[in-house]
Amino acid sequence: MAEYLQQLPLYHASEHRRNIELFGKEINKGLLFDRWFGGYDSQWQVDKLSNPGLGKHPLSWLEGECGNKKTLERFCIKQLSMINQLGGCVVSASLDWHMVTGTGEAHPLENGFLWHHNLATPYLPASSIKGMLRTWLTLWAPKTFTEDEILLLLGNERDSDTSQIGNLILFDATPIDCPVLTLDIMTPHCGEWYQKGSTTPGEPETVPADWQSPTPITFLAVKKANFLFSMAARNAEARILLPRVNEALTEALSILGIGAKTAAGYGLMQPIKEGQFAAETMLNDIKQREERRKEQYKDKIRRLSMTENQRKVDDLGKLLIACINDKEKENLNTDIAQLVHCALNENWSSQEQLALSNIIKDYSLWHKVKNKEKSKERKAFLLQLEA
């Protein structure tokens, strides 16, 4: 049995198609890519160019959207809420072209990919963002920040004699909506030189020459995506610099790019300035949501100290304030009449009656009717409430 299991893969390529048909595009492609690769044959060999069973590349089923839209939306809201609480800054950016992340990760096809374990989408780790930002501030735009400011924000480099932690907190960049994946191909013409040139130099097969056969290599890339970059500060001194860091990050993404193969144009991004995915729009929405939540909490605490009659008056006031025209206010006249009747004939306190009268006079049209007799009668009721 052990010999049989060693010869037969535990997971067949045909299982991919069955799983994808069962779960659809929202299946965790990252889990299948990392742990359930389906490109093995019965001898545990991998055909890197095509899948004999399907006539396609073993990774062709990964093309298209990945992740769950609602899950990504909830994750984005949580991230923005945390940044809002920390007083941080955010940048939303859209890919110009393709992007590659995590090519150094171990994989049977020798070209890995970095997947977010919970979101099942590609992402950019904070360490990569910090490295790109340090390169931009020290080499490409050295006059943007002083050396002391860079030390304050990013800390010392590894080979430094001293040790100082940076006060800039960078978070992983995650997609705002479902990214689209594709398969790209690179064709190194001197493969033997890359692999064996350092160990056996000078041999005809290990020199960079034009007689070597090109080897096409297929790898997974992000074709289309919108990413959210977020940052915060450990202290007030660094927090003052956050808007400038935000601008520097935006410039670095649009000029340097991020991820692998940036020299070939991969990983370049442009800031999203308009629409629902614009960073300022998303953060303002979160701030307004937080303000509403705080107001609702305060209102809940305030109403706990009220009597039942005071809550009825408070509810009427909210309805009247929410009315956008006179017709809507007039539709509440019947409810007001019933509440006035209760206030005058039931055991309402003088304060409760006075509060009801003030709400009616300030916000309603109940006592402002064209019928003089009815108007006179209703004003008399208000006087009784104020007595």
Side-chain angles (χ1 to χ4, degrees):
M1 178 62 72
E3 294 179 358
Y4 172 76
L5 290 177
Q6 288 177 358
Q7 294 180 356
L8 183 66
L10 300 179
Y11 189 77
H12 296 279
S14 60
E15 295 293 318
H16 284 292
R17 175 168 295 186
R18 185 179 68 84
N19 288 332
I20 294 170
E21 290 175 354
L22 179 62
F23 295 103
K25 66 181 181 180
E26 294 180 356
I27 190 174
N28 192 328
K29 293 183 177 180
L31 180 63
L32 294 178
F33 179 88
D34 285 335
R35 303 302 180 192
W36 294 90
F37 174 68
Y40 293 114
D41 58 19
S42 60
Q43 301 298 321
W44 288 96
Q45 300 297 317
V46 179
D47 189 338
K48 299 181 181 180
L49 297 179
S50 64
N51 189 325
L54 301 176
K56 298 180 180 179
H57 189 273
L59 299 181
S60 60
W61 58 273
L62 283 169
E63 292 186 294
E65 287 189 359
C66 63
N68 180 280
K69 184 176 181 180
K70 292 184 179 179
T71 301
L72 291 170
E73 182 180 352
R74 287 195 296 267
F75 187 89
C76 182
I77 290 174
K78 289 181 179 179
Q79 184 73 12
L80 289 168
S81 298
M82 179 179 65
I83 295 301
N84 182 46
Q85 294 292 330
L86 295 174
C89 294
V90 293
V91 174
S92 55
S94 178
L95 276 176
D96 273 357
W97 190 52
H98 296 180
M99 185 195 76
V100 186
T101 176
T103 55
E105 298 290 320
H107 193 266
L109 293 181
E110 299 179 8
N111 285 292
F113 198 73
L114 194 58
W115 296 89
H116 195 285
H117 297 296
N118 297 326
L119 301 178
T121 62
Y123 77 103
L124 294 165
S127 56
S128 297
I129 302 171
K130 182 178 180 180
M132 178 200 65
L133 188 60
R134 184 185 290 275
T135 300
W136 176 257
L137 296 182
T138 56
L139 299 179
W140 287 76
K143 296 182 180 180
T144 307
F145 288 83
T146 65
E147 293 184 2
D148 292 338
E149 289 175 335
I150 295 175
L151 182 63
L152 170 70
L153 292 169
L154 303 177
N156 292 109
E157 296 192 50
R158 291 183 179 180
D159 56 354
S160 177
D161 296 334
T162 60
S163 177
Q164 178 177 329
I165 190 172
N167 291 287
L168 175 66
I169 305 173
L170 293 167
F171 298 89
D172 296 337
T174 54
I176 303 173
D177 56 350
C178 295
V180 179
L181 305 180
T182 188
L183 292 180
D184 275 358
I185 297 178
M186 55 182 172
T187 311
H189 287 64
C190 306
E192 294 294 327
W193 176 60
Y194 289 124
Q195 295 180 6
K196 303 177 183 178
S198 60
T199 57
T200 57
E203 297 294 328
E205 294 81 9
T206 60
V207 295
D210 56 5
W211 59 73
Q212 295 184 15
S213 299
T215 306
I217 299 175
T218 304
F219 61 96
L220 190 61
V222 184
K223 181 180 181 180
K224 180 182 178 182
N226 301 312
F227 283 93
L228 177 68
F229 296 82
S230 49
M231 65 184 73
R234 300 181 191 275
N235 55 30
E237 189 178 1
R239 190 172 295 112
I240 297 175
L241 300 175
L242 284 182
R244 292 170 56 195
V245 178
N246 221 28
E247 294 178 5
L249 177 61
T250 303
E251 293 176 351
L253 288 170
S254 61
I255 297 176
L256 289 184
I258 193 168
K261 299 176 69 66
T262 53
Y266 284 72
L268 294 175
M269 299 187 190
Q270 298 299 327
I272 303 175
K273 298 181 179 180
E274 297 179 352
Q276 60 174 336
F277 294 148
E280 185 176 351
T281 300
M282 292 191 295
L283 197 56
N284 286 336
D285 289 343
I286 292 297
K287 290 179 179 179
Q288 292 175 6
R289 184 178 303 185
E290 289 293 323
E291 289 298 325
R292 288 195 298 269
R293 186 187 63 81
K294 291 179 181 178
E295 290 298 325
Q296 290 172 357
Y297 179 76
K298 290 180 181 178
D299 185 62
K300 182 178 180 180
I301 298 299
R302 180 178 62 85
R303 287 173 64 88
L304 287 175
S305 61
M306 292 181 176
T307 64
E308 183 179 356
N309 294 332
Q310 287 174 333
R311 293 194 195 100
K312 292 178 181 180
V313 175
D314 188 60
D315 291 336
L316 175 63
K318 290 179 180 178
L319 290 174
L320 289 169
I321 293 173
C323 293
I324 58 176
N325 53 49
D326 292 346
K327 186 176 182 180
E328 289 187 2
K329 290 185 177 182
E330 290 174 356
N331 291 335
L332 294 173
N333 283 347
T334 301
D335 296 332
I336 294 173
Q338 293 176 354
L339 202 58
V340 170
H341 177 76
C342 291
L344 292 175
N345 295 280
E346 296 180 3
N347 189 24
W348 279 44
S349 68
S350 58
Q351 292 181 345
E352 294 168 347
Q353 292 180 347
L354 180 60
L356 176 59
S357 175
N358 291 335
I359 287 292
I360 294 173
K361 289 194 298 184
D362 290 343
Y363 300 107
S364 79
L365 301 176
W366 181 72
H367 57 297
K368 299 177 181 178
V369 290
K370 294 180 180 180
N371 189 313
K372 293 183 179 180
E373 292 295 328
K374 186 175 290 187
S375 175
K376 184 178 180 180
E377 179 185 11
R378 291 181 177 179
K379 289 179 179 179
F381 284 140
L382 294 180
L383 290 174
Q384 291 182 47
L385 290 174
E386 296 173 358

